[in-house]
Amino acid sequence: MTDDLKTDLATDKPKVIRDTDDDARRQARVLLRGARFAAIGVLDPETGFPVVSRVLLGTDIDGAAVILVSNLSAHTGALLADPRASLLTGEPAKGDPLAHPRLTLQCLAESVDRDSPSHARLRGRFLARHPKSQLYIDFPDFRFFRLVPERASLNGGFGRAYHLSREDFLIALPSDNFWGDQEMLLRDLGVRHPGLASRLAVDVYHAPAGDWAVCGIDSQGLDLTFKDLLIRHEFVTPVTEKSEIGLVLPKSEYAVP
């Protein structure tokens, strides 16, 4: 029997769900944090039926997903009535769409108050990732939701199914939370490591050459963007202190599976 389809010795039945390892966790994080958009499923407050829509996707520094939505949209009203939601990420390429990796994430939605301390951080990170949202991001009827992971299902390809927990996605923040000042961190990164984004995108991920930029950073990796392209680059080891950023970058330039 192949490694892709192991047998549960206790029941002598094929083991469909594999044991979650670090490679699976990394792939799941990349599928979430490297997604420009996602399908979102919510519960209609009037009928109780699932409703599915498409949203632009961002992430917060603690690993939570972030969406920006209008109060007029059906999924906004649904999330305010019931915070349970599900996201589907992973873009099919050529061939069978079911042969490509995908992540289904169950989460709880937290509406972000415009006057809250986190609003400015989310606004900055979202704009850096989705510059065209400048047209509507400050409209009074738009709001951010943080979608906090609870559990997930990863299908990494044939015979590669995993279950993940919230701990596999959420990032513990340092007491001084130096990640909060994203603008300062990105400016400093550009000064100390000019050309880093293009080098990673082109040399490591074989993306087309262009004016690549780092649009977000957290303790587990970098987000790289150019036009409508987005790449998530994971560090080999998490960064827990600001002084470690320069140390981990030379060791992190590898292709994430």
Side-chain angles (χ1 to χ4, degrees):
M1 182 167 294
T2 67
D3 185 55
D4 281 342
L5 194 60
K6 297 179 180 179
T7 299
D8 187 333
L9 297 179
T11 61
D12 199 30
K13 294 180 180 179
K15 187 176 181 180
V16 178
I17 305 300
R18 301 179 68 171
D19 294 332
T20 303
D21 55 20
D22 287 341
D23 285 342
R25 295 183 183 95
R26 186 184 301 115
Q27 185 178 34
R29 291 196 304 266
V30 170
L31 283 170
L32 176 62
R33 299 173 192 171
R36 294 181 59 248
F37 61 89
I40 185 171
V42 296
L43 296 175
D44 188 312
E46 295 183 3
T47 66
F49 275 85
V51 176
V52 180
S53 186
R54 178 180 293 161
V55 290
L56 289 180
L57 198 62
T59 58
D60 202 356
I61 55 176
D62 66 348
V66 175
I67 59 174
L68 175 68
V69 291
S70 167
N71 288 337
L72 302 178
S73 65
H75 43 278
T76 300
L79 291 174
L80 292 173
D82 188 331
R84 292 177 295 173
S86 183
L87 293 174
L88 174 65
T89 65
E91 297 184 50
K94 294 181 179 180
D96 185 354
L98 298 183
H100 299 279
R102 55 199 180 274
L103 176 73
T104 300
L105 185 72
Q106 295 178 354
C107 25
L108 294 177
E110 300 174 351
S111 179
V112 178
D113 205 10
R114 194 173 287 267
D115 297 326
S116 68
S118 60
H119 186 274
R121 179 183 71 248
L122 297 182
R123 181 183 182 278
R125 283 176 61 89
F126 201 88
L127 269 176
R129 179 181 284 224
H130 302 291
K132 294 178 182 178
S133 66
Q134 177 73 56
L135 297 172
Y136 51 83
I137 196 170
D138 293 322
F139 284 2
D141 64 319
F142 274 74
R143 72 171 71 210
F144 286 109
F145 281 98
R146 281 171 33 90
L147 302 179
V148 182
E150 290 294 316
R151 58 188 60 86
S153 173
L154 167 67
N155 188 320
F158 177 74
R160 298 186 64 239
Y162 304 88
H163 288 163
L164 298 100
S165 67
R166 61 181 282 136
E167 288 76 19
D168 294 320
F169 294 93
L170 294 180
I171 302 170
L173 298 177
S175 56
D176 58 354
N177 194 14
F178 59 86
W179 298 109
D181 192 346
Q182 290 279 290
E183 184 177 349
M184 182 274 293
L185 286 170
L186 296 184
R187 184 171 58 248
D188 186 61
L189 195 63
V191 171
R192 294 175 180 271
H193 303 276
L196 171 68
S198 290
R199 190 165 66 251
L200 286 173
V202 177
D203 295 346
V204 177
Y205 296 99
H206 310 295
D211 189 18
W212 286 88
V214 179
C215 63
I217 184 172
D218 55 63
S219 72
Q220 293 184 339
L222 301 169
D223 302 323
L224 313 174
T225 185
F226 168 58
K227 293 185 176 180
D228 291 333
L229 301 177
L230 180 68
I231 295 174
R232 172 65 180 185
H233 176 74
E234 291 269 298
F235 297 146
V236 174
T237 55
V239 173
T240 57
E241 296 184 12
K242 186 177 178 182
S243 60
E244 296 174 351
I245 297 177
L247 299 177
V248 76
L249 286 174
K251 298 185 297 182
S252 68
E253 298 182 10
Y254 69 103
V256 178

